[in-house]
Amino acid sequence: MKRKMVTVLVLLIAHLPVFQSAQAFPDRPIKLVVPSPAGGPPDVMARLLSDKMAAILGQPLIVENRGGAGGTIGARSVATAEPDGYTLLMGSTSTLLIAPATYKNAGYHAGTFAPVARIADSSEVLATHPSVPARSVAELIGLAKARPGALNYGSAGIGTLPHLEGELLKAHAQIEMNHVPYRGGGQALTGLLGGEIQVLFSTLTQMLPHIRDGRVQGLAVTSAARSKLAPDLPTMVESGFDQFVMTSITAMVAPPGTPIDIRRRLNDAVARALASEEVERSLSRMGGEAR
C-alpha cells in the first residue's frame, strides 16, 4: 500500500510542472510564425487576429515572418520549438499539406503538429493583369494556345497551392505558361499588379479588394458554388473544369507535444477573436469564412 502511495505521489510530482505551466499560461509574449513574407493570406489572417488575441490572453502576440522554401523553413522552426504554447504557426493548405509532399527534406508533415484552431476557409480565384485581353477562362485558354509560352503565371513559391493550381490548369487545358515562383503570396500579388506576371491564382481574401477597384481581372473562383461576395464571377466548374474545386484553409498549430490545456486556452482566444464584430466584418469583406 505504501509503495502504491509513493508511486502515485511521484507521478503527481512529475506532472506538476505541466499543470502549473498550463494554469499560468501565458505569462510572457507569444510568437506567431507566418511561414511567408508579409502581405500574403496567412500574414493577413495573423495580423487580423493578433491584437484581439493579445487582449484576450493578456500578453502580446508577436507575428514573425519566416518565408522560404514553400513555407517549410518557418514551419520546421515551429515543429522543433519548445512545446510550451509560446511558439505557434499560422499554417495553410500550402504549408501543411502540399509543401511536405513537394519538398524532399521538409522535416515535417501535417500530422507532426498539435492542432490549435481552424481559422478560416477561402476559395481561390483565377485573376489576370488588366492588360491581358481575356475576360473569361475560355478566352484565357484561347490566348495561351494562340501564343504558347507568352504568358507568365505566378505563385507564392514552389509547392504552394497557387503553384499546384497553375499546373493543374495547364494540364487540363493543355496550354503552355511559364511559372514564376515568388517568396510569398504578397510578392506574387505585387508581381501581378506590376505586370511582371499576367496570371495568378490566390485566395479571394487577398484578391477581392483589387478586383473590386479594377487593378486586376477576376475570371473564376475555385469554390463549388459562386461566392456571395463576388456573384458575377463564375466558378471553374462553370468554366468547363468539373473537377477544379479548391479551398484554401488557414489553421493555427503548435509544436508536437504541446499540452492540451494550453491548446484549449489558445483555441478559446481564437474563437473569441473570430467572433468579434471587427474581425467578422474584415473577414467578410475579404471573402473569408471564419471556422
Side-chain angles (χ1 to χ4, degrees):
M1 183 68 172
K2 186 177 180 182
R3 183 175 296 175
K4 283 185 179 178
M5 289 180 64
V6 170
T7 302
V8 170
L9 186 60
V10 168
L11 287 171
L12 285 172
I13 292 171
H15 286 83
L16 192 58
V18 175
F19 296 147
Q20 286 178 334
S21 64
Q23 192 174 17
F25 179 85
D27 60 6
R28 63 182 188 272
I30 298 168
K31 180 170 67 177
L32 178 57
V33 176
V34 175
S36 59
D43 181 68
V44 171
M45 293 291 183
R47 295 181 191 281
L48 193 61
L49 290 177
S50 58
D51 288 345
K52 292 291 181 187
M53 287 186 65
I56 293 165
L57 294 168
Q59 291 290 338
L61 203 72
I62 301 165
V63 177
E64 180 181 294
N65 295 89
R66 297 194 67 180
T72 58
I73 293 173
R76 190 163 52 243
S77 74
V78 175
T80 56
E82 285 294 319
D84 53 13
Y86 291 98
T87 304
L88 306 171
L89 175 71
M90 186 62 84
S92 65
T93 304
S94 294
T95 306
L96 296 175
L97 297 176
I98 300 174
T102 306
Y103 288 83
K104 193 176 292 186
N105 299 311
Y108 69 92
H109 54 81
T112 297
F113 298 96
V116 172
R118 187 167 172 175
I119 307 296
D121 295 358
S122 177
S123 63
E124 299 272 300
V125 60
L126 171 58
T128 59
H129 187 267
S131 65
V132 176
R135 299 297 179 267
S136 67
V137 177
E139 289 182 8
L140 177 65
I141 291 168
L143 181 64
K145 285 185 174 180
R147 298 164 55 190
L151 296 175
N152 297 322
Y153 84 91
S155 77
I158 295 171
T160 60
L161 185 58
H163 180 202
L164 182 66
E165 289 167 322
E167 291 302 312
L168 203 57
L169 178 63
K170 285 171 58 179
H172 280 281
Q174 296 183 324
I175 57 175
E176 283 300 322
M177 294 191 298
N178 304 308
H179 177 220
V180 181
Y182 289 85
R183 286 180 59 82
Q187 292 183 9
L189 175 59
T190 300
L192 181 66
L193 292 171
E196 294 176 357
I197 55 174
Q198 292 76 48
V199 181
L200 177 66
F201 278 98
S202 192
T203 59
L204 195 59
T205 53
Q206 184 184 37
M207 304 294 276
L208 192 56
H210 302 288
I211 292 171
R212 284 173 172 164
D213 66 17
R215 298 184 71 193
V216 301
Q217 297 176 140
L219 300 187
V221 292
T222 64
S223 47
R226 293 195 182 200
S227 169
K228 293 177 182 178
L229 293 170
D232 294 335
L233 288 181
T235 64
M236 289 295 291
V237 174
E238 290 177 277
S239 302
F241 296 86
D242 60 352
Q243 298 298 315
F244 210 117
V245 178
M246 300 269 188
T247 301
S248 180
I249 297 169
T250 306
M252 188 180 293
V253 296
T258 302
I260 187 65
D261 286 350
I262 287 176
R263 288 188 283 133
R264 282 181 178 143
R265 178 88 172 94
L266 291 165
N267 179 279
D268 176 68
V270 171
R272 289 168 62 187
L274 287 172
S276 72
E277 286 186 19
E278 183 184 340
V279 172
E280 269 191 350
R281 198 163 47 243
S282 297
L283 265 181
S284 179
R285 255 196 326 266
M286 296 187 300
E289 185 179 355
R291 290 294 184 183

